[in-house]
Amino acid sequence: MAAVVEVEVGGGALAERELDEVDMSDLSPEEQWRVEHARMHAKHRGHEAMHAEMVLILIATLVVAQLLLVQWKQRHPRSYNMVTLFQMWVVPLYFTVKLHWWRFLVIWIFFSAVTAFVTFRATRKPLVQTTPRLVYKWFLLIYKISYATGIVGYMAVMFTLFGLNLLFKIKPEDAMDFGISLLFYGLYYGVLERDFAEMCADYMASTIGFYSESGMPTKHLSDSVCAVCGQQIFVDVNEEGIIENTYRLSCNHVFHEFCIRGWCIVGKKQTCPYCKEKVDLKRMFSNPWERPHVMYGQLLDWLRYLVAWQPVIIGLVQGISYILGLE
């Protein structure tokens, strides 16, 4: 015998057959959600076997897609990174326009305009001397803002879960929406700026000539030149600089401290810009207050897959289900 669905609306219970006759305009948002939820259950009742097939298709597609993406990244990292960056830049824009998230759209346009200008400067030849500092300053600024925004969003979510929002007379749904929005802003722009920064870092270092993604650099590096920005180093490693210090890696190559930090954190590089020896990040960031920046950068790398490829995979699963007649 089929089960009967009843929904509490306006102090009374509605049977399943009455759900389609409900005037949604007279209901509160919570009652509208209950009716829609009940309609969905009524629509999908008796399709358990079909749902099981859809779950299997989802799992199989996720596994195959992950294997293909890993192989693509290992064999053709440059094209993989470019396509992933394009996906991350465009996919949220589609949902923004579709769902009318105008605040996000304004921020996205501003970020895209400034980043396009910075990227244009970074890819010009010959490279202007001030460009590397401009690039790293912009992306480091976005990195710090996204980091702070993500932390505030996470704290807002946790405060809501523990009920602390009630101390300020804020509704739980409003507090949770605020926290999740900030968390999304921080993580999304954090992922996006790191990928743009990595691309710009490769272009600039290759143009300067002290770095080559594959093969030997085209220039010899002296101890008085920074391989990241190509500018002179005036402060000795053992001296305390007025503006910034000079940092020596374990391979004995020296750099402006600001440049090598930008290269490692913002540009996602963990090797020496000249000889490609692995950089010991724990030694570089000995201050415990700086280590969360490194961990946050690693978190952003893990989230790239969710932002760029998850919507594509879900769309592929829906397409396969539609072709097979599974609804």
Side-chain angles (χ1 to χ4, degrees), residues 3 5 11 47 221 263 317 327:
V5 177
H47 299 164
L221 180 66
W263 175 266
V317 171
E327 298 181 1

Side-chain angles (χ1 to χ4, degrees), residues 3-224:
V4 177
V5 177
E6 290 190 351
V7 185
E8 291 288 338
V9 175
L14 292 178
E16 178 181 334
R17 61 181 178 274
E18 300 174 317
L19 291 175
D20 295 332
E21 303 173 0
V22 176
D23 186 2
M24 301 290 283
S25 60
D26 297 333
L27 304 180
S28 65
E30 183 179 354
E31 290 174 337
Q32 290 179 6
W33 180 85
R34 289 179 181 175
V35 172
E36 292 292 343
H37 192 67
R39 285 177 178 175
M40 183 188 68
H41 277 280
K43 179 180 179 181
H44 292 279
R45 186 181 297 110
H47 299 164
E48 287 76 11
M50 184 181 297
H51 294 163
E53 292 183 42
M54 296 176 69
V55 171
L56 291 177
I57 292 175
L58 174 62
I59 295 175
T61 305
L62 287 173
V63 172
V64 173
Q66 185 65 30
L67 293 175
L68 293 176
L69 288 174
V70 169
Q71 290 298 316
W72 184 11
K73 184 177 181 179
Q74 291 178 348
R75 297 174 183 270
H76 307 284
R78 191 177 186 85
S79 62
Y80 171 84
N81 290 332
M82 291 298 293
V83 174
T84 301
L85 179 58
F86 180 77
Q87 287 279 106
M88 287 180 7
W89 188 53
V90 172
V91 169
L93 179 63
Y94 166 77
F95 291 103
T96 297
V97 176
K98 183 178 180 180
L99 300 175
H100 303 157
W101 293 342
W102 305 124
R103 180 176 51 194
F104 178 86
L105 182 60
V106 171
I107 298 175
W108 184 90
I109 291 175
F110 173 76
F111 172 84
S112 299
V114 179
T115 300
F117 171 75
V118 172
T119 304
F120 175 80
R121 289 281 300 271
T123 54
R124 295 307 92 193
K125 293 182 180 181
L127 190 68
V128 180
Q129 292 184 352
T130 57
T131 297
R133 288 298 180 102
L134 170 67
V135 172
Y136 285 123
K137 282 183 178 179
W138 166 247
F139 287 119
L140 185 60
L141 173 64
I142 298 300
Y143 181 85
K144 290 182 176 180
I145 292 176
S146 68
Y147 179 76
T149 304
I151 291 296
V152 173
Y154 174 77
M155 292 177 63
V157 171
M158 296 306 297
F159 282 175
T160 305
L161 293 178
F162 285 107
L164 298 179
N165 58 291
L166 299 177
L167 298 176
F168 303 95
K169 298 181 180 180
I170 302 176
K171 295 181 179 180
E173 54 269 23
D174 294 338
M176 186 63 73
D177 288 344
F178 174 76
I180 292 177
S181 296
L182 287 183
L183 196 58
F184 171 76
Y185 276 96
L187 295 177
Y188 172 71
Y189 286 106
V191 172
L192 201 58
E193 63 84 18
R194 277 173 64 82
D195 276 9
F196 271 110
E198 181 183 25
M199 181 182 67
C200 291
D202 284 341
Y203 271 107
M204 290 189 301
S206 299
T207 301
I208 293 172
F210 294 117
Y211 172 79
S212 175
E213 192 171 355
S214 59
M216 292 297 295
T218 57
K219 291 183 181 180
H220 174 71
L221 180 66
S222 66
D223 291 338
S224 61

